[in-house]
Amino acid sequence: MSEPIELLPIRQVRREITRRLDGYLREKIPNARQGEYENSGDGWVLDKTLKNSVWMRKPKRHDVAFEDRVWAMCARLGFNSLSLGRTLQLPYGKGDNERKQVNVLAADDEVVLVIDCKSSGGEQPRTETFKPEIEAINGYRTGLIGALRKQFPGHKIKFAFITNNIYVSKDTLAKMGAADIAYLDEEAVNYYHELADHLGPAAKFQLLGNLFHGQKIEAMDATVPAIRGKMGGYTYYSFAIEPERLLKLAYVLHRNNANMRWMPTYQRIIKRSRLKKVSEFVEDGGFFPNSLVINVDNGGRPLRFDRSEKQSGSTTLGLLHLPPKYRSVYIVDGQHRLFGYAHSSRAHSELVPVVAFVDMPGTKQLEMFMDINENQQAVPKNLRLTLKADLEWESSDKKRQAQALKLKVAQLLGEQKSSPLRGRVIIGEEKANERLCISLDAVGRGVDRGRFIGEFTSTEMRKPGSFYRGSIDTTIDPLIGFLELCFAFMRDELPSQWNKGRGEGGFVFTNAGVEAILRLLGDFIDHLSEEGKADPRQQTPNDVFVQVRSLLSHLVTYLNGLTPDEIATFRTWLGAGGPTKYLRQFQSAIVETVPNFEPEGYEEWKLNQEKQFNADSYTMLNEVETFLRQDIKRRLQDKHGSEWIHAGVPQAIFRDGSTRAAEKQYEAGPGVTVDWWDCLYLIDYQKVMQHGGNAVWLELFDRTYTLPSDRKAAWRNRSGWFNELNRTRNKVAHNEAVTEEEFGFLQTLHSHFDLGGTGRNS
């Protein structure tokens, strides 16, 4: 057991990284053996011809390629002691047969990683429980650690499973955690490679924070002189610290599947170009006077703070003891400034200013991140929606909770390995392509209009959804499970459309198609519930799907029978009205084959197709008007207090509103009070916002009420959309047909104010 572990010489690591990341196996052989290799049936082909020899290559098997990618990840992150081959045998007992084969062994000056790699070559991820492997590790752990410590004394040792194209359930993850086994998947491996592209070996701090979260960093001095005070109801500490020390403690919650198991994540991935500029700036003697913002995770316990005798006002001087543990500090703002020091010779001598909060909830960190970045680099809408799902999940406002549930369903359908839509829904800042082309917005609208969740006010449930089980936590898994089964069926029955996405001839698995399918599934559930054949609040997702499958089969038959011209017509239905046009065609196909199928709103649409947008327009108009009425008044009251009418409302507007209120009050009868503010016309609210000129507009209204398309307009024109809103309102009030363009405008406005879905199936 005292034999040394055979490791790759450090000088060969760089070349080995290149070889491991190559997708091919390559061999140099004599010219005479070329035919032997080509005729072997193993896939060897000629790569390069030399004078007396040739290079042959063949693609690596998926398991070999993945294992090599994991090895290269460790090497790129700065682990300098690495296993030599794929068949390293480590002893865990005295017997010759008491040896464990390890796929990857990686060590640095402080830790050792013992990694088992598992890969599946199937088109869809297979499910694994790893029960035998977990039990085996428990059997040989002690002996293997003893053998490793002889060569790596004083090191922390971590066992890890790293998988590719394998689905691992929450129960299995819990069992791994109980057995002290770390778990990463191919998305995490991709993340660390991407991070290594930007940070080099400094990216290792992210991996260590992941694997050794909460464990002590040996010989770590984590004390700093600090000032303690209060800000926004939270205790904070202000201090300066060397980047080298902070990097060991710090963790950045990048918006990536590698991080999203723990808490709301919000940071965008570090940009190499920006980091390079920061690093050059630091090396040239530059410095940043503005503070990093961090959150210290201390498990709800107060930080040790040795007060000095000096105190100034509400602040206290003293010596702060930061937790000397991996991932005890989360970077809320300033990741580029911190990592810009990662390769600098000044990382151990320079000081960076820090403002530290303690045990701030993840949602509050996210909110602070959003506030800090609101007026800096714009947060793209898709990322904002992803963050919003986390931010509002624990809201006390039930309407906001329901909106968070819709977005979380969309997010998980795009992320979970069990979901057919994984890799098809755009998450965070991913770039769209022909297959990755479905937005969170489209899925969220489909879930909303499919009536799966229900209608809520801020304080109560107004109407339960078909899948709603009393809370968002108990609803999400059954709903996602059902939708995954439905889309798996659609994928298998429509392979051509599935592979096309939004490419040439593709129309089903697009924003409009997916939203329409979700809304149609809601119709199916309502139909089956009325017939007593399905009860989604009680039955398992599979039991519900069994009932839905025959109805979905009719849709598949219809879609498979469409002619190229009919498909081309679907592809012309773009914009806000597209999903509704898809839905009505889908409903028509089902009605023809299922006579008792009567989806909500279908007959009305059939009788009056010209007014297909009016019902949803009416709902959205009411919600927008209610928002404007309440929000504008609140802003005026916040600024002017009890004088808000005299200071913020033109006299003519107040007089006209009061006159109309008096007339309505006379007609209302006893017990009813009519407020003059509620009697203003839409266009009056625009005049109120412009009252006081540019300065008042910029202070109170510009940030919320200027549409992105109007940002460069003169300040008076930034509320010009009121005119279009007023025209559309008048058309709806007089029962005139709303056009697709007008409907699209209302959807844009509704979405801009984050008012959620309409809750109607138009």
Side-chain angles (χ1 to χ4, degrees):
M1 291 182 64
S2 60
E3 61 188 85
I5 300 169
E6 190 174 10
L7 301 171
L8 182 73
I10 293 177
R11 65 179 182 278
Q12 297 180 23
V13 169
R14 185 181 295 274
R15 180 184 298 176
E16 184 68 5
I17 291 174
T18 302
R19 189 186 73 80
R20 296 269 188 158
L21 290 177
D22 190 346
Y24 293 92
L25 293 173
R26 302 176 190 272
E27 285 191 22
K28 184 180 179 182
I29 60 173
N31 289 335
R33 297 192 63 193
Q34 179 179 341
E36 173 191 339
Y37 270 61
E38 290 176 335
N39 297 325
S40 66
D42 290 337
W44 288 104
V45 297
L46 178 65
D47 186 53
K48 186 186 298 184
T49 301
L50 304 177
K51 184 175 181 180
N52 298 313
S53 59
V54 293
W55 277 99
M56 307 294 292
R57 63 176 169 84
K58 69 173 181 179
K60 292 178 181 177
R61 294 198 320 264
H62 65 87
D63 56 329
V64 174
F66 182 65
E67 188 176 305
D68 283 349
R69 188 162 173 79
V70 172
W71 188 99
M73 174 194 78
C74 295
R76 297 185 70 206
L77 293 180
F79 291 90
N80 47 27
S81 297
L82 293 151
S83 47
L84 181 60
R86 301 184 66 238
T87 57
L88 175 64
Q89 299 282 334
L90 295 181
Y92 60 86
K94 295 181 179 180
D96 291 339
N97 63 338
E98 293 181 301
R99 305 179 76 84
K100 161 64 180 167
Q101 180 174 322
V102 174
N103 298 137
V104 178
L105 182 77
D108 65 3
D109 295 337
E110 297 179 4
V111 305
V112 179
L113 306 183
V114 182
I115 300 171
D116 272 355
C117 299
K118 305 289 183 183
S119 179
S120 169
E123 184 175 342
Q124 301 300 325
R126 70 167 189 252
T127 301
E128 288 282 358
T129 64
F130 294 110
K131 186 174 184 292
E133 290 86 350
I134 294 172
E135 292 174 350
I137 286 181
N138 288 333
Y140 61 68
R141 178 193 296 274
T142 301
L144 204 61
I145 289 176
L148 287 169
R149 287 223 165 109
K150 290 185 177 181
Q151 189 158 338
F152 301 102
H155 283 54
K156 293 183 182 297
I157 297 173
K158 192 73 173 181
F159 293 84
F161 287 146
I162 305 186
T163 67
N164 173 54
N165 197 33
I166 291 174
Y167 173 67
V168 177
S169 70
K170 293 179 181 177
D171 288 342
T172 299
L173 288 173
K175 290 174 183 176
M176 288 184 189
D180 193 24
I181 301 169
Y183 173 74
L184 303 175
D185 62 11
E186 72 275 18
E187 289 174 337
V189 174
N190 293 340
Y191 164 67
Y192 290 116
H193 271 291
E194 182 180 6
L195 209 55
D197 288 340
H198 301 292
L199 297 179
K204 180 172 62 175
F205 295 122
Q206 285 287 104
L207 178 64
L208 295 181
N210 180 340
L211 300 181
F212 296 97
H213 180 204
Q215 295 188 32
K216 185 177 180 181
I217 303 173
E218 300 300 332
M220 174 70 175
D221 177 14
T223 58
V224 289
I227 298 172
R228 182 174 66 188
K230 285 279 188 181
M231 186 188 304
Y234 286 89
T235 297
Y236 78 93
Y237 298 88
S238 179
F239 57 86
I241 189 172
E242 300 86 353
E244 185 176 63
R245 280 202 289 167
L246 187 56
L247 280 165
K248 290 186 176 183
L249 304 172
Y251 197 83
V252 182
L253 283 166
H254 290 132
R255 190 76 206 174
N256 185 280
N257 287 348
N259 295 320
M260 289 170 57
R261 297 187 183 94
W262 305 306
M263 62 190 297
T265 53
Y266 44 85
Q267 294 276 22
R268 289 171 279 189
I269 195 71
I270 288 173
K271 300 293 184 185
R272 180 194 296 179
S273 58
R274 187 173 170 196
L275 187 69
K276 183 179 180 182
K277 292 178 181 177
V278 173
S279 299
E280 291 173 350
F281 177 73
V282 168
E283 280 301 288
D284 289 341
F287 63 92
F288 300 97
N290 49 327
S291 298
L292 278 70
V293 180
I294 69 173
N295 178 63
V296 181
D297 181 5
N298 203 38
R301 301 179 303 275
L303 290 178
R304 179 182 167 188
F305 184 68
D306 301 331
R307 296 177 52 178
S308 71
E309 295 181 358
K310 294 183 179 181
Q311 185 165 333
S312 175
S314 59
T315 60
T316 306
L317 303 176
L319 193 64
L320 177 64
H321 298 260
L322 295 168
K325 299 175 181 178
Y326 291 105
R327 213 174 92 199
S328 59
V329 166
Y330 293 98
I331 306 298
V332 177
D333 185 61
Q335 60 169 333
H336 287 91
R337 277 170 277 155
L338 176 60
F339 282 103
Y341 281 94
H343 305 296
S344 172
S345 58
R346 301 167 62 198
H348 68 282
S349 58
E350 201 79 10
L351 294 175
V352 291
V354 174
V355 171
F357 296 89
V358 183
D359 289 324
M360 180 178 282
T363 51
K364 186 63 182 177
Q365 293 179 52
L366 194 161
E367 190 176 305
M368 182 180 292
F369 168 79
M370 293 285 280
D371 288 342
I372 291 172
N373 287 276
E374 184 76 27
N375 296 310
Q376 298 179 21
Q377 187 175 353
V379 180
K381 181 178 181 181
N382 213 56
L383 176 58
R384 179 166 57 84
L385 291 175
T386 309
L387 299 177
K388 187 176 179 181
D390 287 332
L391 185 61
E392 298 189 344
W393 188 262
E394 297 179 2
S395 171
S396 59
D397 186 315
K398 290 190 176 295
K399 189 172 183 178
R400 290 181 178 273
Q401 279 189 3
Q403 181 67 7
L405 176 56
K406 298 163 195 171
L407 294 174
K408 184 63 76 172
V409 168
Q411 176 186 323
L412 292 180
L413 283 174
E415 289 176 344
Q416 290 191 155
K417 282 197 174 75
S418 56
S419 171
L421 292 179
R422 180 172 179 262
R424 308 301 290 265
V425 178
I426 305 166
I427 306 296
E429 293 184 283
E430 294 176 322
K431 301 298 182 184
N433 54 47
E434 287 189 355
R435 285 175 62 84
L436 181 65
C437 61
I438 303 167
S439 71
L440 287 173
D441 236 355
V443 181
R445 284 195 304 268
V447 171
D448 175 48
R449 296 179 181 182
R451 303 170 300 285
F452 300 111
I453 295 169
E455 299 175 19
F456 297 81
T457 66
S458 60
T459 58
E460 62 183 3
M461 177 175 62
R462 189 163 54 196
K463 183 178 180 181
S466 57
F467 270 81
Y468 191 70
R469 300 192 176 196
S471 73
I472 58 177
D473 291 302
T474 54
T475 301
I476 188 166
D477 286 343
L479 177 54
I480 288 177
F482 167 71
L483 295 179
E484 286 180 349
L485 289 167
C486 293
F487 279 105
F489 178 80
M490 298 287 287
R491 174 197 65 201
D492 296 341
E493 297 297 317
L494 295 166
S496 176
Q497 278 294 320
W498 179 259
N499 292 324
K500 288 176 181 176
R502 69 176 183 187
E504 186 62 34
F507 74 101
V508 176
F509 299 103
T510 61
N511 279 336
V514 167
E515 180 181 334
I517 290 170
L518 287 165
R519 293 166 67 177
L520 186 65
L521 288 173
D523 293 335
F524 290 164
I525 293 295
D526 290 347
H527 170 71
L528 292 168
S529 296
E530 289 173 4
E531 293 194 337
K533 295 180 179 179
D535 185 0
R537 297 188 198 125
Q538 299 293 330
Q539 293 176 313
T540 67
N542 190 66
D543 288 341
V544 179
F545 170 70
V546 167
Q547 298 297 322
V548 168
R549 182 167 50 198
S550 61
L551 293 171
L552 263 183
S553 296
H554 294 307
L555 176 63
V556 167
T557 300
Y558 165 72
L559 293 173
N560 276 325
L562 291 174
T563 66
D565 287 344
E566 289 171 327
I567 290 174
T569 300
F570 270 97
R571 286 172 58 87
T572 64
W573 292 338
L574 306 174
T580 299
K581 291 181 178 179
Y582 274 58
L583 175 67
R584 296 311 186 195
Q585 296 303 314
F586 292 174
Q587 288 173 332
S588 297
I590 307 302
V591 167
E592 288 181 7
T593 54
V594 184
N596 60 341
F597 178 62
E598 300 175 354
E600 179 183 328
Y602 176 76
E603 283 301 319
E604 182 183 353
W605 167 80
K606 193 173 179 181
L607 291 172
N608 191 2
Q609 292 191 43
E610 284 189 357
K611 297 180 182 178
Q612 60 182 302
F613 300 116
N614 281 43
D616 276 359
S617 295
Y618 177 81
T619 301
M620 286 191 288
L621 273 165
N622 280 341
E623 292 179 351
V624 169
E625 279 196 78
T626 299
F627 170 78
L628 295 175
R629 188 182 306 119
Q630 295 173 349
D631 188 69
I632 295 171
K633 182 178 181 180
R634 176 186 60 79
R635 291 170 187 268
L636 293 175
Q637 290 176 333
D638 287 347
K639 178 173 177 60
H640 302 296
S642 61
E643 295 296 313
W644 71 275
I645 296 175
H646 296 288
V649 180
Q651 184 178 3
I653 298 251
F654 174 71
R655 182 181 60 244
D656 292 346
S658 299
T659 300
R660 287 191 289 271
E663 293 171 354
K664 291 184 178 182
Q665 185 70 66
Y666 182 80
E667 298 171 356
V672 177
T673 301
V674 179
D675 188 339
W676 70 271
W677 179 258
D678 296 336
C679 297
L680 298 186
Y681 297 135
L682 267 177
I683 214 70
D684 291 334
Y685 294 122
Q686 181 189 29
K687 294 175 182 177
V688 168
M689 289 195 296
Q690 292 181 348
H691 184 60
N694 183 29
V696 172
W697 168 266
L698 290 176
E699 179 185 356
L700 297 185
F701 304 110
D702 186 63
R703 180 172 165 183
T704 298
Y705 286 90
T706 300
L707 299 180
S709 58
D710 296 333
R711 272 285 158 208
K712 295 183 180 180
W715 75 270
R716 281 190 177 276
N717 296 331
R718 293 182 187 182
S719 59
W721 52 265
F722 265 88
N723 299 317
E724 185 175 352
L725 180 65
N726 195 51
R727 285 194 298 270
T728 306
R729 183 196 181 283
N730 290 337
K731 291 183 73 172
V732 172
H734 293 92
N735 201 28
E736 298 176 19
V738 175
T739 67
E740 182 176 349
E741 290 72 24
E742 289 165 338
F743 178 71
F745 162 72
L746 287 178
Q747 281 199 317
T748 298
L749 207 58
H750 200 264
S751 176
H752 177 76
F753 291 129
D754 281 336
L755 299 181
T758 65
R760 293 172 59 87
N761 187 6
S762 60

